Amino acid sequence: STVENRIAGEIIPSTHTTPDAISISKLLAMMVDKGCTFAFMEASSHAIHQYRVAGLDFTGALFSNISHDHMHYHVNFNNYLDAKKMLFDQLSPNAFALTNIDDKKGLVMLQNTLASRKTYSLHSMADFKGKILENNLTGLHMLINQHEVFCKLIGDFNAYNIMAAYGCAMLLQQDEMEVL
C-alpha cells in the first residue's frame, strides 16, 4: 500500500501505492518464499495506466469507490474512470470482479469484464449484502448476509471495507464462520 508492504508479518517500507513491475515481482517472490498463499495489493490508477501491473494474472479485482482524486494526473474524471476500469477489462474468465454497487460507477467496472461478476452493498440488493445496525464510537455492529458481526472500526467507509473483505474472502472460498 501507500504506507507499507507486509509479508508474513515483516514490514517493508513503501514508496508508491503500487510499485513498478520489477519491485512487484520481487515482493511476490518474497511472498512465495515465505509461504504466503494469497497476495492483496492496491492497483492505483496511475499504476494501471502506466502498465505497472501488466502481465500479472489476477485471481480477482475489487472496486470500492471512486471520487475526483488524481485529476492532476488523469486530467478529467472519464480518463480516471477508464484507468480504473482497465484492470477489470483485462481479467480472465477464471477471475472474479467484485464491485460496490452503492457507488454510482460501480457497475461500470463490470461492463466489459470476462470475469465472474459479483457485487456488494449496504443499501442495494447484492451478492454480498451488509447493513449497519449501529455505528458509534465503540464500533460497527453489522448484519452481513444475515450474520451479526461487531468490529471496533467506525464509519460507513469501514463498513464498506468490511463488506469488500468479506466478499473477497467468500470468492476465495474461505470458511465463512472464520471470516466473520
Side-chain angles (χ1 to χ4, degrees):
S1 81
T2 305
V3 178
E4 65 191 14
N5 296 296
R6 291 184 184 205
I7 300 175
E10 181 183 348
I11 296 173
I12 300 161
S14 176
T15 58
H16 293 80
T17 301
T18 310
D20 62 84
I22 293 169
S23 297
I24 291 171
S25 293
K26 286 180 184 177
L27 289 168
L28 291 171
M30 288 173 64
M31 291 176 202
V32 169
D33 290 345
K34 299 251 183 181
C36 297
T37 54
F38 294 98
F40 296 88
M41 65 180 286
E42 181 176 354
S44 71
S45 60
H46 294 70
I48 297 165
H49 183 256
Q50 296 169 5
Y51 301 100
R52 288 188 241 156
V53 296
L56 293 177
D57 184 17
F58 288 94
T59 301
L62 162 70
F63 174 77
S64 56
N65 62 6
I66 194 166
S67 61
H68 283 80
D69 296 338
H70 309 302
M71 289 303 114
H72 61 282
Y73 178 84
H74 294 292
V75 181
N76 64 55
F77 187 75
N78 284 338
N79 290 346
Y80 181 31
L81 185 65
D82 289 344
K84 289 273 192 189
K85 192 174 174 309
M86 280 174 60
L87 180 64
F88 291 82
D89 292 350
Q90 295 170 5
L91 291 172
S92 78
N94 299 324
F96 66 81
L98 178 62
T99 193
N100 172 6
I101 60 169
D102 290 344
D103 185 277
K104 289 189 286 186
K105 298 297 183 183
L107 289 176
V108 170
M109 296 299 140
L110 304 181
Q111 285 177 344
N112 301 315
T113 188
L114 298 175
S116 170
R117 297 174 174 109
K118 299 293 178 184
T119 59
Y120 70 95
S121 172
L122 293 176
H123 302 293
S124 306
M125 291 302 298
D127 297 299
F128 305 107
K129 179 74 171 113
K131 180 179 180 181
I132 297 173
L133 302 175
E134 286 184 69
N135 182 10
N136 56 43
L137 293 178
T138 62
L140 282 163
H141 181 201
M142 294 179 63
L143 198 59
I144 299 177
N145 278 7
Q146 304 307 314
H147 299 282
E148 282 192 46
V149 297
F150 179 80
C151 181
K152 291 185 179 184
L153 299 172
I154 61 172
D156 288 1
F157 70 98
N158 277 317
Y160 279 108
N161 289 340
I162 290 166
M163 289 305 304
Y166 171 80
C168 279
M170 295 300 92
L171 292 167
L172 292 169
Q173 300 176 345
Q174 299 302 294
D175 180 86
E176 184 176 34
M177 289 302 112
E178 284 188 35
V179 171
L180 293 171

